[in-house]
Amino acid sequence: MPQTCLSVRNLRVGLPDPEGRMLTVVRDIGFDIPDNGFHALVGESGCGKSVTAMALTRLPPVVAPARVSGRVLFRGIDLLSLSAARLRQMRRRGGIAYVFQDPMSALNPVLTVGLQLREACPRDRSRTDCEARLADLLRAVGFPEPAAVLRAYPCELSGGMAQRVCIAMAMAQEPALLVADEPTTALDVITQRMVLDSMKALCTASGTAVLLITHNLLLVSQYARTVSVLYAGQCIEDGPTAEVLSHPFHPYTSALLAAVPRLTGPREPHPIPGRVPLPSEWSDTSCSFAPRCSRCDAGMPCAATRFAKGSHSCFCAKPMVE
């Protein structure tokens, strides 16, 4: 039975607004990722996915005066109890590495790719071992001539090439967990597949677990083994990917699936009306999705009321329906 790489329980994050009020933007989120697992956080922009990822190792914006509570166990170590210095160690070899959605902002424009990749290599590796490791990583992410890439500056790379360089940089640290925050944003579908295929192959070969953050359900269905659906800072549904996507229980999950365009079949995509509510508009006593929910509009009982408060609740005020 695989060991648990990351276990998140009752994670809550509060961030100050411009007026100094502390707004809870992540509400009691929990999920597990086994060693070599591939878990996805999915939902619209503003649902709390990226803040959840940043909270794992207290990256900005989850820094003082932000408030974080709950438990984040990484291989048995509670990350939320660590000092800033120990958290920096956790972002190094054998720890947690990140791939961010904008590779051009993650790479230094005045330094060569080679110099930046070498900085990511573990310090106990010799220069020869480091060069060989980087060449292998670049070939693994689809660069047949690693030497040319190492000499290049970020401005000489396309968006897809830069993203693959960032994946190689993250994997150079030999992490136990790779957090990929919207790694295919603004890339065409062919490049998306190339980037994610490279990432998955590298992680599978090294035994690295993956936390993928995305709004793209097609990518989730193709790559993730398990998925958590987030809305208004809450995990409203989770489980094996095939089960959640083929038999969605929560109306929001069904609405996300209905909004996905299809190349075949008669069904037109149905966009979700309205917008994700702001954190200041969230409620702990009623369903945050109700204003956008077609079941509520039609006066139908909400099947999601099966979820109990404190787990994957939608806090629907309607009577419970089994």
Side-chain angles (χ1 to χ4, degrees):
M1 184 173 181
Q3 299 295 313
T4 301
C5 178
L6 182 75
S7 179
V8 178
R9 290 290 180 273
N10 300 317
L11 180 64
R12 293 179 69 86
V13 178
L15 298 177
D17 68 3
E19 299 178 0
R21 297 175 300 176
M22 193 64 67
L23 299 178
T24 302
V25 297
V26 170
R27 304 187 284 175
D28 298 315
I29 285 179
F31 56 88
D32 293 320
I33 306 178
D35 286 343
N36 205 21
F38 201 125
H39 187 78
L41 298 182
V42 66
E44 297 169 279
S45 297
C47 286
K49 306 185 302 298
S50 293
V51 174
T52 298
M54 299 304 130
L56 302 180
T57 58
R58 301 297 296 270
L59 289 175
V62 191
V63 294
R67 296 176 184 171
V68 184
S69 62
R71 297 186 71 189
V72 177
L73 296 180
F74 175 66
R75 294 195 160 180
I77 300 173
D78 188 356
L79 299 183
L80 299 187
S81 67
L82 300 183
S83 65
R86 286 282 288 126
L87 280 175
R88 283 195 295 272
Q89 293 178 356
M90 285 296 173
R91 304 185 199 114
R92 296 175 183 171
R93 185 176 187 177
I96 301 176
Y98 286 78
V99 176
F100 299 103
Q101 59 182 293
D102 184 1
M104 290 305 181
S105 66
L107 296 173
N108 191 323
V110 301
L111 300 179
T112 64
V113 169
L115 181 57
Q116 297 180 67
L117 285 174
R118 292 183 192 103
E119 288 179 344
C121 281
R123 296 179 180 180
D124 60 352
R125 281 184 176 269
S126 68
R127 183 176 178 85
T128 301
D129 288 344
C130 180
E131 294 292 335
R133 168 71 172 165
L134 294 181
D136 290 342
L137 286 172
L138 289 174
R139 290 191 190 97
V141 295
F143 292 109
E145 298 183 5
V149 179
L150 293 172
R151 292 192 302 268
Y153 286 87
C155 64
E156 300 177 85
L157 306 177
S158 68
M161 293 169 68
Q163 194 61 283
R164 284 182 284 151
V165 164
C166 287
I167 292 173
M169 183 182 298
M171 295 303 295
Q173 304 172 45
E174 303 173 5
L177 173 66
L178 180 68
V179 180
D181 187 1
E182 298 280 9
T184 58
T185 297
L187 301 179
D188 62 81
V189 292
I190 295 176
T191 307
Q192 285 182 6
R193 178 175 288 275
M194 186 183 303
V195 166
L196 285 177
D197 282 347
S198 300
M199 184 178 73
K200 185 173 184 179
L202 269 177
C203 292
T204 300
S206 62
T208 299
V210 180
L211 175 60
L212 174 66
I213 296 163
T214 184
H215 60 271
N216 191 325
L217 287 176
L218 293 178
L219 296 182
V220 171
S221 66
Q222 295 167 5
Y223 294 95
R225 299 176 191 170
T226 53
V227 60
S228 296
V229 183
L230 269 57
Y231 187 77
Q234 292 176 296
C235 178
I236 51 92
E237 184 164 5
D238 64 5
T241 300
E243 179 180 329
V244 170
L245 298 186
S246 61
H247 299 93
F249 188 81
H250 198 282
Y252 178 62
T253 309
S254 300
L256 284 178
L257 289 167
V260 176
R262 293 187 178 181
L263 296 178
T264 59
R267 186 180 66 79
E268 293 287 333
H270 297 286
I272 305 175
R275 60 169 176 82
V276 178
L278 300 174
S280 59
E281 301 168 338
W282 296 352
S283 171
D284 284 340
T285 58
S286 62
C287 179
S288 297
F289 186 59
R292 310 174 68 193
C293 181
S294 61
R295 297 185 186 180
C296 290
D297 291 342
M300 300 168 60
C302 178
T305 53
R306 189 181 78 183
F307 292 123
K309 184 173 181 179
S311 55
H312 311 300
S313 59
C314 81
F315 302 124
C316 187
K318 294 181 178 294
M320 183 173 292
V321 177
E322 293 290 349

